[in-house]
């Protein structure tokens, strides 16, 4: 269960980068490549292992309107299931 004080980070070997050819963010990992939508990329950019989920939600709420805890935890949960995000 993801809690507000959980601290997500990208797993070892996973990297979020901007692909200039595709003009979008891509998530590179040993098993392949994912192309996250802009919302997911914004969440993943903040997964540094230091920031809590609560802090990530607050940071996104400053940039975008209508950010909900459930949306952010949903994104994190899906990437956790794909073993791209882990918790510190």
């Amino acid at each position: 269960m993801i809690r507000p004080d959980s601290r997500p980070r990208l797993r070892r070997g996973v990297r979020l980068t901007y692909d200039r050819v595709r003009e979008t963010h891509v998530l590179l990992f040993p098993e392949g490549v994912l192309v996250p939508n802009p919302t997911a990329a914004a969440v993943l950019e903040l997964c540094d292992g230091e920031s809590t989920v609560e802090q990530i939600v607050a940071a996104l709420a400053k940039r975008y309107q209508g950010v909900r805890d459930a949306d952010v935890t949903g994104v994190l949960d899906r990437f956790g299931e794909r073993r791209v995000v882990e918790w510190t």
Side-chain angles (χ1 to χ4, degrees), residues 10-68:
L10 299 179
R11 293 179 75 82
R12 175 178 253 170
V14 177
R15 186 168 51 106
L16 180 68
T17 188
Y18 188 80
D19 184 328
R20 292 179 192 177
V21 173
R22 296 179 187 161
E23 296 184 347
T24 190
H25 281 92
V26 292
L27 194 60
L28 307 172
F29 55 103
E31 296 83 21
V33 177
L34 289 174
V35 180
N37 66 35
T39 302
V43 172
L44 291 169
E45 285 178 322
L46 298 171
C47 292
D48 58 10
E50 299 292 324
S51 301
T52 64
V53 171
E54 185 175 52
Q55 291 168 328
I56 290 170
V57 170
L60 292 170
K62 288 180 183 177
R63 291 172 41 191
Y64 307 103
Q65 287 185 324
V67 174
R68 298 180 321 165

Side-chain angles (χ1 to χ4, degrees), residues 9-14 27-31 34 44 76-87:
R9 70 175 177 198
L10 299 179
R11 293 179 75 82
R12 175 178 253 170
V14 177
L27 194 60
L28 307 172
F29 55 103
E31 296 83 21
L34 289 174
L44 291 169
L76 292 171
D77 189 45
R78 285 191 301 279
F79 282 110
E81 289 173 0
R82 296 203 67 168
R83 301 187 45 82
V84 172
V85 172
E86 65 184 6
W87 309 94

